Amino acid sequence: MQPNALLDAVLDEAGISHAGLAAHVNQAGRGRGLALRYEHTAVARWLKGQRPRGQVPDLICEVLSARLHRPVTLDDIGLGIPGQTASPHGSPLSGFVDRATALWRSDEQQRPHILGAPAVTGTPAVMPVWEWENPPEDGDVSRDGRTRVGMADIQMLRAARAHYEQMYRKAGGVATRHRIVGFLNAEAAPLLRGGYTDALGRQLHRATGGLVAIAGICAYDSDAHGLAQRYFHQALRLAKASGDRGLGAYVIALLVNQSLFMREDRQAVAFAEAALRAAGRQITPALAADLYAMQAKAYAHLGDSGSALACIRRAESAAERISPGQEPDETGYVQPGLVNVQVAEALLGLGDLGAAHRHAAAAVGTPAHDRGRVHRLAMLSQVQLRRGEADRAAATAVQMAELARGMESQRLRDRLREVRERLAGSGCSGTAEAAELIDRALRLPL
């Protein structure tokens, strides 16, 4: 029995207590000739996943509709019957908004069933990408709501996305996630439920999609992979509502990266192809370079050297066309040197140590934000070890460990552990300083 997050979220929106809902349901029941005696404990059971009997689900909808001055359906409160057609009162997009905001609220409350959910695989993982790529499109995303949305609200959401992205780069996803989820609940959710025209609504969904993508990145960085995947799927749906194919392709790039981490290499290749195909002219050189580079890594994992090398060439060609200032904010992470480090990893997988070293060294020699630099140094250290240059690898690892200090990131901790294990296996006496620095960083709890 799963907790009913939708009902919980609608109660919160309506500002009604458990005892208040019980009293209103009893009163509504009397109007239908029912003698009901519900108390707050019954509402608590409904929120835990128990389905109310008889006419009570309809009474709950009646009470909440009157409270919110809008139709509330059984699907809106998580009490729809599986297999039945949803009520015509709500559009598919409005139902999505209700489910999305319910997830944000459950995440902020740190509900265990949300935080510990595993990532889905197979058809459930593929369907959101297929639905993004294929019709139907959203013909009209306008909405009637009590809060009128204006351009100042859109600008606030865009500024928040940039703010939380920078915070993530400097402090890590563990430290940033609760901040951005709190913002989604306090600021973005009321706007999505507000009133806006179709044109403004598309900008609203685009701005919110960018924010939700950062929330997914932070969840991924915190090792909450099922939650990260759900945020990425939400961002993809918001991208579709915005009509911005480029934003959708960016979100798919995040799913490709997660697929690589989970060793779903064929899925990574297929997702990247879908992004490149469906975005068409809206794909930017930076995003194309990243997608091709990640495809190269996937093919290298699969042992397909021909396809990997072809993707490396495409990635390098796209990287040469990147024009600073011509990319959207979301693809700012594709900084000079990023493609080099991605290509180095692919070449390392193919066993071409010389070329891998050239690319890894070029990546480290290019300016980057601290987080990106940690990953580049980790890759260079790994290549140096594979080439038998243990002393150089240790010196590189010292730089990496010092730079990672203060960042709260599960992914960076994984890289630190990986480098430390490889150094320990080398048997070189010069690795002691790097190992001590890494151990000191890992002793601090996240």
Side-chain angles (χ1 to χ4, degrees):
M1 188 164 60
Q2 289 289 325
N4 190 334
L6 284 173
L7 177 58
D8 199 12
V10 176
L11 287 184
D12 183 61
E13 181 188 354
I16 188 169
S17 67
H18 295 183
L21 178 64
H24 283 296
V25 167
N26 292 341
Q27 183 178 357
R30 284 195 290 273
R32 298 190 186 188
L34 301 174
L36 303 177
R37 296 182 177 84
Y38 286 113
E39 297 180 348
H40 67 92
T41 53
V43 179
R45 290 195 299 273
W46 302 339
L47 292 173
K48 289 179 181 177
Q50 183 184 90
R51 181 180 175 82
R53 298 178 180 176
Q55 300 179 46
V56 175
D58 293 319
L59 293 173
I60 296 172
C61 290
E62 181 182 317
V63 168
L64 293 173
S65 295
R67 186 86 171 194
L68 292 169
H69 307 290
R70 62 173 172 83
V72 174
T73 70
L74 292 175
D75 291 309
D76 293 336
I77 60 173
L79 294 176
I81 299 174
Q84 286 195 355
T85 303
S87 167
H89 293 301
S91 72
L93 186 57
S94 68
F96 160 78
V97 167
D98 292 337
R99 292 189 298 276
T101 54
L103 175 72
W104 305 346
R105 188 167 181 271
S106 294
D107 185 10
E108 186 176 25
Q109 294 173 343
Q110 298 188 26
R111 300 290 178 87
H113 73 285
I114 293 293
L115 301 180
V120 297
T121 58
T123 301
V126 172
M127 281 304 295
V129 176
W130 187 90
E131 289 171 350
W132 167 76
E133 186 178 2
N134 292 282
E137 305 299 324
D138 293 291
D140 184 355
V141 302
S142 62
R143 182 166 175 148
D144 292 324
R146 286 179 289 176
T147 302
R148 296 305 301 177
V149 178
M151 273 308 301
D153 298 309
I154 309 298
Q155 291 163 358
M156 175 191 66
L157 295 178
R158 291 171 180 166
R161 193 213 68 82
H163 171 73
Y164 289 118
E165 182 181 53
Q166 288 302 315
M167 185 183 296
Y168 156 76
R169 288 178 175 177
K170 293 176 180 177
V174 175
T176 306
R177 189 166 70 82
H178 297 301
R179 297 281 295 276
I180 191 170
V181 172
F183 181 88
L184 285 171
N185 278 295
E187 304 294 341
L191 293 176
L192 283 176
R193 292 193 291 254
Y196 38 85
T197 63
D198 175 65
L200 195 65
R202 294 191 185 278
Q203 295 186 63
L204 173 63
H205 285 82
R206 195 206 182 288
T208 307
L211 263 173
V212 171
I214 300 294
I217 291 170
C218 290
Y220 169 84
D221 202 40
S222 305
D223 237 6
H225 286 285
L227 180 60
Q229 190 183 51
R230 291 180 72 175
Y231 275 123
F232 294 150
H233 289 167
Q234 285 184 1
L236 199 56
R237 181 64 185 92
L238 288 162
K240 179 154 189 168
S242 77
D244 189 329
R245 285 280 179 176
L247 177 64
Y250 156 74
V251 176
I252 292 182
L254 301 177
L255 286 166
V256 172
N257 184 62
Q258 186 182 38
S259 297
L260 286 170
F261 178 82
M262 296 189 300
R263 289 293 184 171
E264 295 281 350
D265 296 310
R266 296 192 185 281
Q267 178 174 284
V269 170
F271 282 0
E273 286 177 353
L276 291 160
R277 177 177 61 246
R281 293 183 178 180
Q282 291 191 42
I283 201 88
T284 65
L287 189 53
D290 191 36
L291 287 165
Y292 283 130
M294 287 192 290
Q295 272 193 322
K297 290 197 293 186
Y299 280 125
H301 293 161
L302 293 167
D304 186 344
S305 60
S307 296
L309 292 171
C311 286
I312 287 173
R313 288 191 293 271
R314 294 188 190 108
E316 291 174 335
S317 175
E320 291 174 356
R321 300 196 306 273
I322 297 174
S323 299
Q326 300 298 312
E327 292 279 335
D329 292 340
E330 286 81 10
T331 56
Y333 71 95
V334 188
Q335 298 182 330
L338 175 75
V339 172
N340 289 108
V341 77
Q342 299 268 46
V343 167
E345 187 174 347
L347 291 168
L348 190 65
L350 296 176
D352 190 342
L353 301 184
H357 183 266
R358 287 194 297 275
H359 279 278
V364 169
T366 307
H369 57 77
D370 288 350
R371 182 187 179 87
R373 190 161 177 77
V374 170
H375 282 295
R376 296 178 189 196
L377 288 166
M379 177 51 58
L380 179 58
S381 178
Q382 184 177 345
V383 174
Q384 288 168 333
L385 271 178
R386 285 278 296 274
R387 282 163 56 92
E389 302 170 353
D391 289 336
R392 288 186 177 180
T396 302
V398 167
Q399 295 181 57
M400 176 202 68
E402 289 176 340
L403 199 59
R405 190 180 303 161
M407 295 185 190
E408 296 189 11
S409 162
Q410 193 60 53
R411 292 286 72 76
L412 289 185
R413 289 172 81 92
D414 290 344
R415 295 306 295 265
L416 290 172
R417 288 193 187 94
E418 181 183 9
V419 170
R420 196 210 183 288
E421 288 173 6
R422 293 179 187 278
L423 287 172
S426 73
C428 176
S429 59
T431 63
E433 181 186 0
E436 172 55 29
L437 281 172
I438 292 173
D439 287 342
R440 198 181 307 161
L442 293 176
R443 277 195 290 269
L444 292 173
L446 292 182

